[in-house]
């Protein structure tokens, strides 16, 4: 099943254009143009303490772009095959693209962190893998 092989080298950092003028900044993220998928779902995470670890799952179908539109956080990604990387989200015009079947942890949230998540799929709890051992089994089979 080639479509469940995680593609670690597809994880990438995006820098969006800032359309700033003397009134302030504006960042536009258009589905399938500024991110590599049509956006079907938007959610955002805020009010998480610094010691909270969120995510802790992989998605069989969904791809994401995460943007800290306020404050800062970190994202740790793993592919279940000893590859691991940590990204700092600390500017509102940058984001991290996460392909499907990547394990992700979001943590180290600043008090003012608002983490905007753009997703390629509608919510479906069945496509989430929330146990790391199950995830490793699934990527290695
Ligand atoms: P969860 O996946 O644990 O959040 P995160 O991984 O971002 O820390 O989701 C928390 C709760 O919200 C859980 O009960 C599922 C629900 N939820 C939805 O109903 N729709 C969604 O799009 C998301 C992301 C979560």
């Amino acid at each position: 099943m080639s479509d469940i092989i995680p593609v670690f080298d597809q994880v990438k950092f995006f820098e969006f254009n800032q359309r700033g003028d003397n009134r302030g900044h504006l960042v536009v993220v258009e589905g399938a143009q500024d991110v590599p998928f049509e956006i079907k779902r938007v959610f955002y995470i805020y009010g998480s303490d610094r010691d909270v670890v969120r995510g802790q799952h992989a998605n069989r179908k969904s791809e994401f772009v995460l943007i800290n539109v306020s404050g800062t956080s970190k994202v740790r990604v793993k592919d279940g095959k000893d590859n691991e990387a940590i990204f700092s989200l600390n500017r509102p015009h940058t984001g991290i693209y996460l392909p499907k079947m990547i394990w992700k942890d979001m943590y180290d949230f600043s008090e003012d962190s608002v983490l905007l998540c753009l997703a390629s799929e509608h919510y479906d709890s069945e496509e989430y893998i929330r146990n790391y051992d199950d995830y490793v089994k699934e990527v290695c089979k």
Side-chain angles (χ1 to χ4, degrees), residues 11-76:
V11 174
K12 50 176 168 279
F13 213 66
F14 281 113
E15 188 152 341
F16 305 112
N17 285 334
Q18 290 185 93
R19 296 154 191 257
D21 59 30
N22 56 12
R23 299 169 300 165
H25 299 289
L26 185 147
V27 173
V28 179
V29 181
E30 296 225 25
Q33 292 180 24
D34 301 301
V35 296
F37 53 80
E38 293 287 359
I39 298 163
K40 288 195 183 160
R41 177 164 55 117
V42 174
F43 55 96
Y44 44 97
I45 293 168
Y46 60 98
S48 290
D49 289 340
R50 178 110 24 207
D51 58 355
V52 164
V53 181
R54 302 199 58 127
Q56 299 188 283
H57 51 58
N59 292 76
R60 294 188 180 93
K61 289 189 299 184
S62 290
E63 302 162 60
F64 297 93
V65 167
L66 309 186
I67 303 167
N68 252 107
V69 292
S70 167
T72 61
S73 71
K74 292 195 177 80
V75 186
R76 182 190 304 111

